Amino acid sequence: FLWSDWRANYESGVEEEYDITGADIEGEIPRALWGGSLYRNGPGNFERGDERVKHVLDGDGLASLFYFPPGGGRVRFVSRFVRTEEFVAESEADAMLYRSTFGTQKPGG
């Protein structure tokens, strides 16, 4: 375990959404996953403009899916941000306008 590896999970990437099928896979996928889906949700963007969230759970919501077709084959990965009205407004303004859930206050408190 390296601090830099852990920290990398809380860096904002580009605000893009993905739909990828057939990317190269390192290692082996457990047989129990074939024919099923693995969902992951959590924060996916930690900055707006020049401001960073004060708590990781204040990040924008991101839902991800790994789909494993029955019998093996080409795994599909899809990710989408949760497009609330607040997300869209903050994205358009490139500023934090509505935060305060865990530790990040909107400008002015």
mmCIF file of all heavy atoms in Angstrom, residues 14-20 37-46 59-67 76-84 87:
data_model
loop_
_atom_site.group_PDB
_atom_site.id
_atom_site.type_symbol
_atom_site.label_atom_id
_atom_site.label_comp_id
_atom_site.label_asym_id
_atom_site.label_seq_id
_atom_site.Cartn_x
_atom_site.Cartn_y
_atom_site.Cartn_z
ATOM 1 N N VAL A 14 -10.906 13.909 -16.094
ATOM 2 C CA VAL A 14 -11.697 14.769 -16.959
ATOM 3 C C VAL A 14 -13.157 14.424 -16.728
ATOM 4 O O VAL A 14 -13.498 13.308 -16.358
ATOM 5 C CB VAL A 14 -11.309 14.573 -18.442
ATOM 6 C CG1 VAL A 14 -9.911 15.079 -18.700
ATOM 7 C CG2 VAL A 14 -11.440 13.133 -18.853
ATOM 8 N N GLU A 15 -14.014 15.375 -16.921
ATOM 9 C CA GLU A 15 -15.435 15.122 -16.685
ATOM 10 C C GLU A 15 -16.038 14.487 -17.939
ATOM 11 O O GLU A 15 -16.857 15.063 -18.628
ATOM 12 C CB GLU A 15 -16.147 16.434 -16.348
ATOM 13 C CG GLU A 15 -17.499 16.209 -15.723
ATOM 14 C CD GLU A 15 -18.091 17.490 -15.191
ATOM 15 O OE1 GLU A 15 -17.560 18.002 -14.199
ATOM 16 O OE2 GLU A 15 -19.056 17.979 -15.788
ATOM 17 N N GLU A 16 -15.578 13.284 -18.201
ATOM 18 C CA GLU A 16 -16.064 12.533 -19.350
ATOM 19 C C GLU A 16 -16.798 11.308 -18.862
ATOM 20 O O GLU A 16 -16.582 10.835 -17.750
ATOM 21 C CB GLU A 16 -14.903 12.099 -20.250
ATOM 22 C CG GLU A 16 -14.268 13.237 -21.003
ATOM 23 C CD GLU A 16 -13.253 12.746 -22.021
ATOM 24 O OE1 GLU A 16 -13.471 11.684 -22.635
ATOM 25 O OE2 GLU A 16 -12.246 13.426 -22.196
ATOM 26 N N GLU A 17 -17.638 10.797 -19.720
ATOM 27 C CA GLU A 17 -18.327 9.554 -19.439
ATOM 28 C C GLU A 17 -17.859 8.543 -20.473
ATOM 29 O O GLU A 17 -17.490 8.912 -21.587
ATOM 30 C CB GLU A 17 -19.835 9.776 -19.503
ATOM 31 C CG GLU A 17 -20.271 10.770 -18.441
ATOM 32 C CD GLU A 17 -21.741 11.141 -18.515
ATOM 33 O OE1 GLU A 17 -22.348 11.003 -19.592
ATOM 34 O OE2 GLU A 17 -22.274 11.565 -17.488
ATOM 35 N N TYR A 18 -17.837 7.282 -20.089
ATOM 36 C CA TYR A 18 -17.252 6.265 -20.943
ATOM 37 C C TYR A 18 -18.225 5.143 -21.246
ATOM 38 O O TYR A 18 -19.103 4.832 -20.456
ATOM 39 C CB TYR A 18 -16.007 5.669 -20.270
ATOM 40 C CG TYR A 18 -14.906 6.676 -20.082
ATOM 41 C CD1 TYR A 18 -14.779 7.377 -18.893
ATOM 42 C CD2 TYR A 18 -14.008 6.935 -21.104
ATOM 43 C CE1 TYR A 18 -13.769 8.318 -18.725
ATOM 44 C CE2 TYR A 18 -12.999 7.877 -20.951
ATOM 45 C CZ TYR A 18 -12.887 8.560 -19.748
ATOM 46 O OH TYR A 18 -11.898 9.495 -19.591
ATOM 47 N N ASP A 19 -18.028 4.531 -22.406
ATOM 48 C CA ASP A 19 -18.713 3.307 -22.796
ATOM 49 C C ASP A 19 -17.699 2.531 -23.626
ATOM 50 O O ASP A 19 -17.507 2.817 -24.806
ATOM 51 C CB ASP A 19 -19.974 3.614 -23.595
ATOM 52 C CG ASP A 19 -20.871 2.396 -23.768
ATOM 53 O OD1 ASP A 19 -20.357 1.257 -23.707
ATOM 54 O OD2 ASP A 19 -22.073 2.579 -23.975
ATOM 55 N N ILE A 20 -17.022 1.588 -22.992
ATOM 56 C CA ILE A 20 -15.909 0.884 -23.603
ATOM 57 C C ILE A 20 -16.192 -0.617 -23.587
ATOM 58 O O ILE A 20 -16.593 -1.168 -22.568
ATOM 59 C CB ILE A 20 -14.595 1.144 -22.823
ATOM 60 C CG1 ILE A 20 -14.304 2.643 -22.774
ATOM 61 C CG2 ILE A 20 -13.440 0.361 -23.426
ATOM 62 C CD1 ILE A 20 -13.204 3.014 -21.800
ATOM 63 N N SER A 37 -23.059 -8.455 -13.567
ATOM 64 C CA SER A 37 -22.643 -7.057 -13.609
ATOM 65 C C SER A 37 -22.076 -6.647 -12.266
ATOM 66 O O SER A 37 -22.510 -7.136 -11.228
ATOM 67 C CB SER A 37 -23.841 -6.150 -13.935
ATOM 68 O OG SER A 37 -24.375 -6.479 -15.195
ATOM 69 N N LEU A 38 -21.110 -5.749 -12.301
ATOM 70 C CA LEU A 38 -20.534 -5.177 -11.097
ATOM 71 C C LEU A 38 -20.746 -3.676 -11.163
ATOM 72 O O LEU A 38 -20.302 -3.029 -12.117
ATOM 73 C CB LEU A 38 -19.038 -5.499 -11.013
ATOM 74 C CG LEU A 38 -18.261 -4.816 -9.886
ATOM 75 C CD1 LEU A 38 -18.730 -5.331 -8.531
ATOM 76 C CD2 LEU A 38 -16.766 -5.049 -10.066
ATOM 77 N N TYR A 39 -21.465 -3.140 -10.203
ATOM 78 C CA TYR A 39 -21.738 -1.708 -10.157
ATOM 79 C C TYR A 39 -20.875 -1.051 -9.092
ATOM 80 O O TYR A 39 -20.621 -1.636 -8.040
ATOM 81 C CB TYR A 39 -23.211 -1.444 -9.815
ATOM 82 C CG TYR A 39 -24.157 -1.846 -10.915
ATOM 83 C CD1 TYR A 39 -24.696 -3.124 -10.963
ATOM 84 C CD2 TYR A 39 -24.508 -0.946 -11.907
ATOM 85 C CE1 TYR A 39 -25.562 -3.504 -11.973
ATOM 86 C CE2 TYR A 39 -25.379 -1.318 -12.918
ATOM 87 C CZ TYR A 39 -25.890 -2.594 -12.942
ATOM 88 O OH TYR A 39 -26.749 -2.961 -13.936
ATOM 89 N N ARG A 40 -20.472 0.167 -9.362
ATOM 90 C CA ARG A 40 -19.717 0.954 -8.389
ATOM 91 C C ARG A 40 -20.265 2.372 -8.437
ATOM 92 O O ARG A 40 -20.474 2.917 -9.524
ATOM 93 C CB ARG A 40 -18.234 0.958 -8.764
ATOM 94 C CG ARG A 40 -17.400 1.780 -7.826
ATOM 95 C CD ARG A 40 -15.928 1.714 -8.229
ATOM 96 N NE ARG A 40 -15.170 2.511 -7.292
ATOM 97 C CZ ARG A 40 -14.367 3.493 -7.637
ATOM 98 N NH1 ARG A 40 -14.192 3.792 -8.906
ATOM 99 N NH2 ARG A 40 -13.722 4.177 -6.727
ATOM 100 N N ASN A 41 -20.540 2.929 -7.289
ATOM 101 C CA ASN A 41 -20.962 4.332 -7.268
ATOM 102 C C ASN A 41 -20.205 5.055 -6.164
ATOM 103 O O ASN A 41 -19.793 4.463 -5.178
ATOM 104 C CB ASN A 41 -22.475 4.476 -7.089
ATOM 105 C CG ASN A 41 -22.918 4.079 -5.706
ATOM 106 O OD1 ASN A 41 -22.431 3.129 -5.130
ATOM 107 N ND2 ASN A 41 -23.862 4.811 -5.163
ATOM 108 N N GLY A 42 -20.006 6.336 -6.381
ATOM 109 C CA GLY A 42 -19.284 7.135 -5.403
ATOM 110 C C GLY A 42 -18.875 8.446 -6.039
ATOM 111 O O GLY A 42 -19.305 8.780 -7.143
ATOM 112 N N PRO A 43 -18.041 9.194 -5.366
ATOM 113 C CA PRO A 43 -17.626 10.484 -5.914
ATOM 114 C C PRO A 43 -16.693 10.290 -7.099
ATOM 115 O O PRO A 43 -15.909 9.348 -7.140
ATOM 116 C CB PRO A 43 -16.908 11.149 -4.736
ATOM 117 C CG PRO A 43 -16.452 10.023 -3.874
ATOM 118 C CD PRO A 43 -17.458 8.938 -4.049
ATOM 119 N N GLY A 44 -16.809 11.193 -8.086
ATOM 120 C CA GLY A 44 -15.983 11.058 -9.278
ATOM 121 C C GLY A 44 -15.358 12.348 -9.747
ATOM 122 O O GLY A 44 -14.581 12.346 -10.688
ATOM 123 N N ASN A 45 -15.714 13.456 -9.148
ATOM 124 C CA ASN A 45 -15.126 14.749 -9.509
ATOM 125 C C ASN A 45 -14.994 15.544 -8.214
ATOM 126 O O ASN A 45 -15.965 15.693 -7.485
ATOM 127 C CB ASN A 45 -16.007 15.497 -10.510
ATOM 128 C CG ASN A 45 -15.361 16.751 -11.034
ATOM 129 O OD1 ASN A 45 -14.140 16.861 -11.057
ATOM 130 N ND2 ASN A 45 -16.172 17.694 -11.456
ATOM 131 N N PHE A 46 -13.803 16.057 -7.960
ATOM 132 C CA PHE A 46 -13.522 16.667 -6.666
ATOM 133 C C PHE A 46 -13.197 18.144 -6.759
ATOM 134 O O PHE A 46 -12.808 18.755 -5.774
ATOM 135 C CB PHE A 46 -12.362 15.924 -5.987
ATOM 136 C CG PHE A 46 -12.636 14.459 -5.836
ATOM 137 C CD1 PHE A 46 -12.168 13.553 -6.766
ATOM 138 C CD2 PHE A 46 -13.400 14.003 -4.786
ATOM 139 C CE1 PHE A 46 -12.443 12.206 -6.642
ATOM 140 C CE2 PHE A 46 -13.680 12.649 -4.648
ATOM 141 C CZ PHE A 46 -13.201 11.751 -5.582
ATOM 142 N N GLY A 59 -17.730 15.056 -3.452
ATOM 143 C CA GLY A 59 -17.473 14.991 -4.896
ATOM 144 C C GLY A 59 -18.738 14.660 -5.671
ATOM 145 O O GLY A 59 -19.691 14.084 -5.142
ATOM 146 N N ASP A 60 -18.756 15.013 -6.953
ATOM 147 C CA ASP A 60 -19.902 14.711 -7.814
ATOM 148 C C ASP A 60 -20.099 13.208 -7.934
ATOM 149 O O ASP A 60 -19.140 12.447 -8.071
ATOM 150 C CB ASP A 60 -19.686 15.291 -9.211
ATOM 151 C CG ASP A 60 -19.722 16.807 -9.217
ATOM 152 O OD1 ASP A 60 -20.561 17.376 -8.499
ATOM 153 O OD2 ASP A 60 -18.928 17.417 -9.948
ATOM 154 N N GLY A 61 -21.348 12.765 -7.929
ATOM 155 C CA GLY A 61 -21.666 11.347 -7.997
ATOM 156 C C GLY A 61 -21.360 10.742 -9.360
ATOM 157 O O GLY A 61 -21.688 11.319 -10.392
ATOM 158 N N LEU A 62 -20.739 9.571 -9.353
ATOM 159 C CA LEU A 62 -20.386 8.855 -10.577
ATOM 160 C C LEU A 62 -20.806 7.406 -10.417
ATOM 161 O O LEU A 62 -20.448 6.743 -9.431
ATOM 162 C CB LEU A 62 -18.875 8.941 -10.819
ATOM 163 C CG LEU A 62 -18.339 8.242 -12.062
ATOM 164 C CD1 LEU A 62 -18.824 8.953 -13.322
ATOM 165 C CD2 LEU A 62 -16.821 8.192 -12.029
ATOM 166 N N ALA A 63 -21.579 6.902 -11.358
ATOM 167 C CA ALA A 63 -21.984 5.491 -11.360
ATOM 168 C C ALA A 63 -21.226 4.774 -12.467
ATOM 169 O O ALA A 63 -21.118 5.281 -13.588
ATOM 170 C CB ALA A 63 -23.491 5.372 -11.589
ATOM 171 N N SER A 64 -20.681 3.617 -12.130
ATOM 172 C CA SER A 64 -19.917 2.830 -13.098
ATOM 173 C C SER A 64 -20.451 1.408 -13.151
ATOM 174 O O SER A 64 -20.936 0.873 -12.145
ATOM 175 C CB SER A 64 -18.435 2.786 -12.712
ATOM 176 O OG SER A 64 -17.894 4.075 -12.660
ATOM 177 N N LEU A 65 -20.338 0.794 -14.319
ATOM 178 C CA LEU A 65 -20.809 -0.572 -14.534
ATOM 179 C C LEU A 65 -19.740 -1.357 -15.280
ATOM 180 O O LEU A 65 -19.181 -0.871 -16.265
ATOM 181 C CB LEU A 65 -22.086 -0.564 -15.385
ATOM 182 C CG LEU A 65 -22.444 -1.851 -16.136
ATOM 183 C CD1 LEU A 65 -22.967 -2.899 -15.174
ATOM 184 C CD2 LEU A 65 -23.466 -1.578 -17.227
ATOM 185 N N PHE A 66 -19.449 -2.571 -14.790
ATOM 186 C CA PHE A 66 -18.674 -3.553 -15.537
ATOM 187 C C PHE A 66 -19.638 -4.687 -15.848
ATOM 188 O O PHE A 66 -20.221 -5.281 -14.935
ATOM 189 C CB PHE A 66 -17.513 -4.100 -14.702
ATOM 190 C CG PHE A 66 -16.444 -3.099 -14.409
ATOM 191 C CD1 PHE A 66 -16.539 -2.278 -13.292
ATOM 192 C CD2 PHE A 66 -15.350 -2.965 -15.243
ATOM 193 C CE1 PHE A 66 -15.544 -1.356 -12.999
ATOM 194 C CE2 PHE A 66 -14.357 -2.036 -14.965
ATOM 195 C CZ PHE A 66 -14.450 -1.234 -13.848
ATOM 196 N N TYR A 67 -19.823 -5.002 -17.137
ATOM 197 C CA TYR A 67 -20.707 -6.095 -17.535
ATOM 198 C C TYR A 67 -19.845 -7.228 -18.075
ATOM 199 O O TYR A 67 -19.010 -7.032 -18.961
ATOM 200 C CB TYR A 67 -21.701 -5.650 -18.601
ATOM 201 C CG TYR A 67 -22.484 -6.804 -19.173
ATOM 202 C CD1 TYR A 67 -23.405 -7.487 -18.397
ATOM 203 C CD2 TYR A 67 -22.270 -7.233 -20.478
ATOM 204 C CE1 TYR A 67 -24.103 -8.580 -18.904
ATOM 205 C CE2 TYR A 67 -22.970 -8.311 -20.995
ATOM 206 C CZ TYR A 67 -23.876 -8.986 -20.201
ATOM 207 O OH TYR A 67 -24.565 -10.069 -20.697
ATOM 208 N N ARG A 76 -17.645 -5.060 -20.835
ATOM 209 C CA ARG A 76 -18.086 -3.694 -21.139
ATOM 210 C C ARG A 76 -17.992 -2.847 -19.876
ATOM 211 O O ARG A 76 -18.396 -3.285 -18.797
ATOM 212 C CB ARG A 76 -19.522 -3.708 -21.630
ATOM 213 C CG ARG A 76 -20.042 -2.337 -21.996
ATOM 214 C CD ARG A 76 -21.440 -2.409 -22.558
ATOM 215 N NE ARG A 76 -21.905 -1.086 -22.923
ATOM 216 C CZ ARG A 76 -23.170 -0.750 -23.006
ATOM 217 N NH1 ARG A 76 -24.116 -1.642 -22.769
ATOM 218 N NH2 ARG A 76 -23.511 0.469 -23.336
ATOM 219 N N PHE A 77 -17.461 -1.632 -20.025
ATOM 220 C CA PHE A 77 -17.378 -0.677 -18.931
ATOM 221 C C PHE A 77 -18.136 0.577 -19.333
ATOM 222 O O PHE A 77 -17.952 1.118 -20.420
ATOM 223 C CB PHE A 77 -15.918 -0.311 -18.625
ATOM 224 C CG PHE A 77 -15.782 0.831 -17.661
ATOM 225 C CD1 PHE A 77 -16.005 0.640 -16.312
ATOM 226 C CD2 PHE A 77 -15.456 2.100 -18.105
ATOM 227 C CE1 PHE A 77 -15.890 1.692 -15.413
ATOM 228 C CE2 PHE A 77 -15.331 3.164 -17.216
ATOM 229 C CZ PHE A 77 -15.550 2.960 -15.876
ATOM 230 N N VAL A 78 -19.010 1.051 -18.436
ATOM 231 C CA VAL A 78 -19.789 2.272 -18.685
ATOM 232 C C VAL A 78 -19.725 3.131 -17.427
ATOM 233 O O VAL A 78 -19.851 2.616 -16.318
ATOM 234 C CB VAL A 78 -21.268 1.939 -18.997
ATOM 235 C CG1 VAL A 78 -22.076 3.202 -19.236
ATOM 236 C CG2 VAL A 78 -21.380 0.998 -20.185
ATOM 237 N N SER A 79 -19.530 4.441 -17.586
ATOM 238 C CA SER A 79 -19.590 5.348 -16.437
ATOM 239 C C SER A 79 -20.400 6.579 -16.809
ATOM 240 O O SER A 79 -20.341 7.053 -17.943
ATOM 241 C CB SER A 79 -18.186 5.757 -15.979
ATOM 242 O OG SER A 79 -17.571 6.593 -16.929
ATOM 243 N N ARG A 80 -21.167 7.068 -15.841
ATOM 244 C CA ARG A 80 -22.011 8.247 -16.042
ATOM 245 C C ARG A 80 -22.059 9.054 -14.750
ATOM 246 O O ARG A 80 -22.208 8.490 -13.669
ATOM 247 C CB ARG A 80 -23.446 7.864 -16.408
ATOM 248 C CG ARG A 80 -23.598 7.067 -17.679
ATOM 249 C CD ARG A 80 -23.476 7.958 -18.900
ATOM 250 N NE ARG A 80 -23.703 7.231 -20.125
ATOM 251 C CZ ARG A 80 -22.767 6.668 -20.873
ATOM 252 N NH1 ARG A 80 -21.513 6.709 -20.485
ATOM 253 N NH2 ARG A 80 -23.054 6.052 -21.985
ATOM 254 N N PHE A 81 -21.970 10.382 -14.875
ATOM 255 C CA PHE A 81 -22.180 11.253 -13.723
ATOM 256 C C PHE A 81 -23.675 11.367 -13.468
ATOM 257 O O PHE A 81 -24.488 11.314 -14.395
ATOM 258 C CB PHE A 81 -21.596 12.651 -13.973
ATOM 259 C CG PHE A 81 -20.116 12.705 -13.762
ATOM 260 C CD1 PHE A 81 -19.255 12.587 -14.829
ATOM 261 C CD2 PHE A 81 -19.584 12.858 -12.487
ATOM 262 C CE1 PHE A 81 -17.884 12.617 -14.636
ATOM 263 C CE2 PHE A 81 -18.220 12.888 -12.281
ATOM 264 C CZ PHE A 81 -17.367 12.766 -13.361
ATOM 265 N N VAL A 82 -24.053 11.517 -12.210
ATOM 266 C CA VAL A 82 -25.445 11.704 -11.828
ATOM 267 C C VAL A 82 -25.789 13.158 -12.151
ATOM 268 O O VAL A 82 -25.286 14.083 -11.518
ATOM 269 C CB VAL A 82 -25.663 11.391 -10.326
ATOM 270 C CG1 VAL A 82 -27.119 11.585 -9.949
ATOM 271 C CG2 VAL A 82 -25.192 9.975 -10.019
ATOM 272 N N ARG A 83 -26.611 13.360 -13.152
ATOM 273 C CA ARG A 83 -26.873 14.699 -13.690
ATOM 274 C C ARG A 83 -28.060 15.377 -13.004
ATOM 275 O O ARG A 83 -29.114 15.555 -13.593
ATOM 276 C CB ARG A 83 -27.093 14.618 -15.190
ATOM 277 C CG ARG A 83 -25.863 14.130 -15.903
ATOM 278 C CD ARG A 83 -25.918 14.417 -17.385
ATOM 279 N NE ARG A 83 -24.643 14.124 -17.975
ATOM 280 C CZ ARG A 83 -23.605 14.946 -17.961
ATOM 281 N NH1 ARG A 83 -23.699 16.110 -17.397
ATOM 282 N NH2 ARG A 83 -22.466 14.607 -18.514
ATOM 283 N N THR A 84 -27.849 15.761 -11.757
ATOM 284 C CA THR A 84 -28.867 16.527 -11.054
ATOM 285 C C THR A 84 -28.872 17.959 -11.612
ATOM 286 O O THR A 84 -27.932 18.361 -12.318
ATOM 287 C CB THR A 84 -28.563 16.582 -9.547
ATOM 288 O OG1 THR A 84 -27.310 17.253 -9.363
ATOM 289 C CG2 THR A 84 -28.510 15.178 -8.938
ATOM 290 N N PHE A 87 -25.695 19.567 -10.408
ATOM 291 C CA PHE A 87 -24.507 19.145 -11.158
ATOM 292 C C PHE A 87 -24.392 19.924 -12.463
ATOM 293 O O PHE A 87 -23.324 20.431 -12.805
ATOM 294 C CB PHE A 87 -24.568 17.642 -11.453
ATOM 295 C CG PHE A 87 -23.479 17.161 -12.385
ATOM 296 C CD1 PHE A 87 -22.257 16.749 -11.885
ATOM 297 C CD2 PHE A 87 -23.680 17.124 -13.754
ATOM 298 C CE1 PHE A 87 -21.246 16.309 -12.736
ATOM 299 C CE2 PHE A 87 -22.679 16.684 -14.612
ATOM 300 C CZ PHE A 87 -21.465 16.281 -14.100
#
